[in-house]
Amino acid sequence: MKQRAPWQIGLLVVGCWLVLSLTFVTLLISMTPTGGITGGPFVPSVYRAANGDVTVTWLADVWIFAIVCGYLTGRQYRKRQQSPRLIRTLMPLLSMWVILIALTQWHPLATQTFPNSTAGFFLVVMLSFLWIFPAGIMSAYIGLFRKGSRWIWAVFFIFLMQMQRPYLWIVNGKSHVGMTLMHGDPVKWEAWILTVLGLIFVAFFAFMSTDPEIVKKEF
């Protein structure tokens, strides 16, 4: 594995996530009765409506795999004594993003309002970005450090607390096409505002990960 390029390690994690997700969701679909729900925390849940339509909580576990993908990619740079390359670091995360969007076209994202609309599609694009890239790029940055194995657990718990925030209702602009992440009285957030904040967060850690001082001190 040490001879593998960092982006190859990341793509390997993405491949494992895809195989596990497809296998797990396919099994749950076959087991879920009409009007029922199967699944649980940290794994996708399957909802089967009374009319037979199936929706899936694709975002339930993707952020965990994004953390693993980013961390192993960053660590591989350090193991190979290789200066980080931003495009190659982002390649596995970009692949995961595209695949996740494609999966939501197979079975829509659960709890989303009007998932088959154009606004619903863009909402999926924004939400999947927020679940993958911030966790992935921050983990890739931490993987560059010798003490990264200690810090990565802090990242995990930070994102765990963030993903479990209750009463969050995300709306795509003025389209009134949104989704409920947890049950309760909704607090309205515009999806594009969260996306802009996510882009700033990703850009910051992407810039930091290319700092040549890291190579001098940690490699």
Side-chain angles (χ1 to χ4, degrees), residues 1 7 20 29 38 46-49 51 54 57 60 66 77 104 113 125 129-130 155 171 189 193 205:
M1 295 293 287
W7 63 271
L20 290 173
I29 290 175
T38 54
V46 171
Y47 295 72
R48 187 183 292 275
N51 61 2
V54 172
T57 57
Y77 280 117
T104 62
T113 309
V125 170
F129 173 87
L130 291 169
V155 175
V171 179
W189 286 84
I193 294 177
F205 279 99

Side-chain angles (χ1 to χ4, degrees), residues 55-59 100 104 107-113 115 124 127 179:
T55 58
V56 181
T57 57
W58 293 110
L59 301 176
L100 181 58
T104 62
H107 289 299
L109 198 62
T111 70
Q112 186 181 358
T113 309
V124 168
L127 289 178
M179 69 174 296

Side-chain angles (χ1 to χ4, degrees), residues 59 63 97 123-135 159 163 170 190-199 202:
L59 301 176
W63 62 275
W97 186 34
L123 179 61
V124 168
V125 170
M126 289 186 282
L127 289 178
S128 55
F129 173 87
L130 291 169
W131 257 252
I132 292 173
F133 279 90
F159 280 93
M163 297 307 172
I170 296 180
E190 301 291 354
W192 66 269
I193 294 177
L194 294 177
T195 302
V196 170
L197 294 176
L199 284 169
V202 170

Side-chain angles (χ1 to χ4, degrees), residues 3-219:
Q3 303 304 318
R4 297 288 184 180
W7 63 271
Q8 291 176 323
I9 299 295
L11 286 180
L12 179 61
V13 176
V14 174
C16 292
W17 160 75
L18 177 59
V19 171
L20 290 173
S21 294
L22 287 176
T23 303
F24 194 78
V25 169
T26 301
L27 289 174
L28 287 182
I29 290 175
S30 65
M31 297 167 54
T32 306
T34 301
I37 304 172
T38 54
F42 307 118
V43 295
S45 296
V46 171
Y47 295 72
R48 187 183 292 275
N51 61 2
D53 290 344
V54 172
T55 58
V56 181
T57 57
W58 293 110
L59 301 176
D61 64 334
V62 68
W63 62 275
I64 299 176
F65 283 92
I67 289 175
V68 175
C69 175
Y71 175 73
L72 293 181
T73 300
R75 189 181 70 166
Q76 192 71 358
Y77 280 117
R78 179 166 49 83
K79 282 189 172 183
R80 298 188 67 189
Q81 304 291 303
Q82 180 181 345
S83 297
R85 296 290 184 269
L86 182 58
I87 298 300
R88 295 182 180 180
T89 302
L90 293 175
M91 189 184 303
L93 300 177
L94 181 61
S95 301
M96 182 179 285
W97 186 34
V98 172
I99 291 171
L100 181 58
I101 294 171
L103 290 175
T104 62
Q105 306 311 301
W106 175 39
H107 289 299
L109 198 62
T111 70
Q112 186 181 358
T113 309
F114 308 121
N116 296 321
S117 66
T118 301
F121 172 79
F122 284 111
L123 179 61
V124 168
V125 170
M126 289 186 282
L127 289 178
S128 55
F129 173 87
L130 291 169
W131 257 252
I132 292 173
F133 279 90
I137 194 64
M138 185 177 183
S139 301
Y141 173 71
I142 287 177
L144 299 174
F145 293 86
R146 286 192 291 267
K147 295 183 179 180
S149 58
R150 302 176 186 176
W151 299 344
I152 196 63
W153 288 106
V155 175
F156 173 81
F157 285 111
I158 289 172
F159 280 93
L160 174 62
M161 294 175 62
Q162 183 66 22
M163 297 307 172
Q164 299 302 316
R165 285 184 61 195
Y167 315 129
L168 182 58
W169 175 266
I170 296 180
V171 179
N172 185 15
K174 297 181 179 179
S175 65
H176 305 295
V177 178
M179 69 174 296
T180 302
L181 298 184
M182 296 286 284
H183 298 293
D185 298 326
V187 174
K188 181 178 177 182
W189 286 84
E190 301 291 354
W192 66 269
I193 294 177
L194 294 177
T195 302
V196 170
L197 294 176
L199 284 169
I200 295 172
F201 184 91
V202 170
F204 173 78
F205 279 99
F207 174 77
M208 292 293 292
S209 65
T210 58
D211 186 356
E213 291 297 320
I214 296 178
V215 177
K216 296 178 182 178
K217 296 179 180 179
E218 300 292 333
F219 284 23

